[in-house]
Amino acid sequence: MSKKSNSAVLAALLAGAATGVILGLLYAPEEGKETRRKLKDKANDLKDKAVDEYGKTSEKVKDKYSEVSSTVKDKYENLSSQVKETAQNVAQTVKESYDKYKDQVVSKTSDVVKDVESELDGLK
């Protein structure tokens, strides 16, 4: 059963109990003053129970929020460091590839320039 339905069941039970108490007191063969006093006492008891339940539920929610928040923060930091590390690796690989192929391109370009110069000298 989910927490949402647990809360709904608890609210329904409290409402049912309050209704039962009120109806029982209203139909009891007592004086009006005594009935009103009992209604007031029962209302105060129900209010106290509701405040207690609210406090307990509030603490549970705070604890769960703290737990989830901590988990999310840890996962974010872990993911962030993994992304940083991957980006650094990619940058390093690109730099190494650039350096490697740059030298080859310069060498090939020099060869092409020499070949063109030879061909031009041959045409003279």
Side-chain angles (χ1 to χ4, degrees), residues 67-85:
E67 178 185 325
V68 169
S69 174
S70 177
T71 301
V72 168
K73 183 180 176 186
D74 291 345
K75 289 192 184 272
Y76 170 78
E77 288 172 356
N78 185 24
L79 182 62
S80 176
S81 67
Q82 286 177 352
V83 167
K84 244 185 217 178
E85 184 179 326

Side-chain angles (χ1 to χ4, degrees), residues 4 20 31 37 41 48 60 65 68 70 84 87 91 106 113 116:
K4 193 172 189 178
E31 239 181 74
R37 185 190 61 76
D41 290 345
D48 291 343
K60 287 179 185 177
Y65 172 80
V68 169
S70 177
K84 244 185 217 178
V106 168
V113 168
V116 169

Side-chain angles (χ1 to χ4, degrees), residues 16-32:
T19 302
V21 168
I22 290 170
L23 288 175
L25 289 173
L26 288 174
Y27 287 103
E30 292 181 348
E31 239 181 74

Side-chain angles (χ1 to χ4, degrees), residues 30-111:
E30 292 181 348
E31 239 181 74
K33 185 176 182 179
E34 182 64 21
T35 300
R36 286 189 296 277
R37 185 190 61 76
K38 284 185 179 182
L39 281 173
K40 182 179 175 186
D41 290 345
K42 289 297 178 180
N44 285 333
D45 289 345
L46 287 173
K47 181 190 87 168
D48 291 343
K49 286 180 185 179
V51 167
D52 288 345
E53 286 301 316
Y54 174 80
K56 289 176 188 176
T57 302
S58 177
E59 283 302 313
K60 287 179 185 177
V61 168
K62 285 178 187 175
D63 291 344
K64 196 60 162 173
Y65 172 80
S66 178
E67 178 185 325
V68 169
S69 174
S70 177
T71 301
V72 168
K73 183 180 176 186
D74 291 345
K75 289 192 184 272
Y76 170 78
E77 288 172 356
N78 185 24
L79 182 62
S80 176
S81 67
Q82 286 177 352
V83 167
K84 244 185 217 178
E85 184 179 326
T86 300
Q88 288 171 347
N89 289 341
V90 167
Q92 183 65 32
T93 302
V94 167
K95 184 180 182 309
E96 289 170 359
S97 296
Y98 171 77
D99 291 341
K100 176 182 173 184
Y101 292 114
K102 180 182 88 171
D103 293 340
Q104 289 177 3
V105 168
V106 168
S107 174
K108 295 288 183 189
T109 304
S110 294
D111 292 345

